[in-house]
Amino acid sequence: MATENRKRVLITGAAGFLGSHLCDRFIKEGYHVIAMDNLITGDLKNIEHLFKLEQFEFHHHDVSKYVHVPGHLDYILHFASPASPIDYLKIPIQTLKVGSLGTHNLLGLARAKGARMIIASTSEVYGDPEVHPQVEEYWGNVNPVGPRGCYDEAKRFQEAITMAYHTHHGVETRIVRIFNTYGPRMRLNDGRVLPAFMSQALRGEELSIFGDGSQTRSFCYVDDLVEGIYRLLLSDYALPVNIGNPSEVTIKEFAEEICKLTGVELKLGYQPLPENDPQRRRPDISKAKEILGWEPQVSRSEGLRRTLEYFKEHVETAPTEALTF
């Protein structure tokens, strides 16, 4: 397909974990991909394999500042944002700006170009939930002035301004609420539980558990998540949709799974639970099943096996700060 005939998509946060996998998917689907990232948490290594392609271009830019993209645009995927506590606790103001100013800039671009835009929201909009599993109609239990507020409230505002542009300006918008996701290209010093556990296990160190390990998470493999995002973007549904894996596991059970997979003895080190850390996390994916015909296909055991292969290649070169989370 000639480049000029391809549909064009802008992906922000393109050098990040999810953004880079989305770049791969849209290249595979025949799109011209315009990747944008300020590299504050992203890594060009995640997308360097795409640089040789004529249907791929990269712009080093902070979307919190004015965004200009020449030519037509069919879709915008706004995935720029620090996404792990280790990042957004270090750079809370940038986190708030990319969710507010960045989203505003991109919605303006979508309106000007007549493009459809999907935003990456998060299960964190539910906070420490009082409804379980979490349904899209639940408004959440979030502390706006707590340490996690910079991320949670940035995402909640992002949803609000996106719906305002949809209802007031008629911009075609989609909202995906992403639950815990894992897979190749996660940073080993990402700060989240899976990279930390795998790094520690591969180094023969004790696994750091915050609290008593009874808190739960639900882990979705990245390929499944990308499929859900792709289907939602192309759907005609404008309200938020949960995309995640409803298979729930306690953190302690998860540590046991990682040790068994890596073949190391289970050694646990307990630390205080961070403030406002959610105790339970599990998506209700009824809407995704009904509207998108989507549900996860990759089991946790298979997803972890694939992810371990990636981590084995990278753990020796990872910085020691990988072990803080």
Side-chain angles (χ1 to χ4, degrees), residues 225-238:
L225 186 89
V226 166
E227 177 66 25
I229 292 165
Y230 188 77
R231 291 190 190 193
L232 178 58
L233 176 68
L234 299 183
S235 77
D236 59 3
Y237 191 75

Side-chain angles (χ1 to χ4, degrees), residues 282-303:
R282 178 184 163 204
D284 182 310
I285 60 168
S286 303
K287 273 194 172 58
K289 285 181 177 178
E290 178 188 347
I291 296 165
L292 310 177
W294 177 89
E295 61 183 312
Q297 302 298 314
V298 180
S299 67
R300 193 163 63 243
S301 58
E302 171 60 18

Side-chain angles (χ1 to χ4, degrees), residues 39-54:
L39 304 177
I40 196 167
T41 59
D43 189 337
L44 283 179
K45 289 177 183 173
N46 291 332
I47 51 173
E48 63 184 359
H49 60 288
L50 301 173
F51 276 63
K52 62 182 181 290
L53 304 175
E54 64 171 352

Side-chain angles (χ1 to χ4, degrees), residues 76-94:
I76 298 171
L77 287 79
H78 183 25
F79 279 71
S81 177
S84 71
I86 202 171
D87 290 331
Y88 59 69
L89 293 176
K90 279 183 188 172
I91 46 172
I93 294 168
Q94 291 96 321

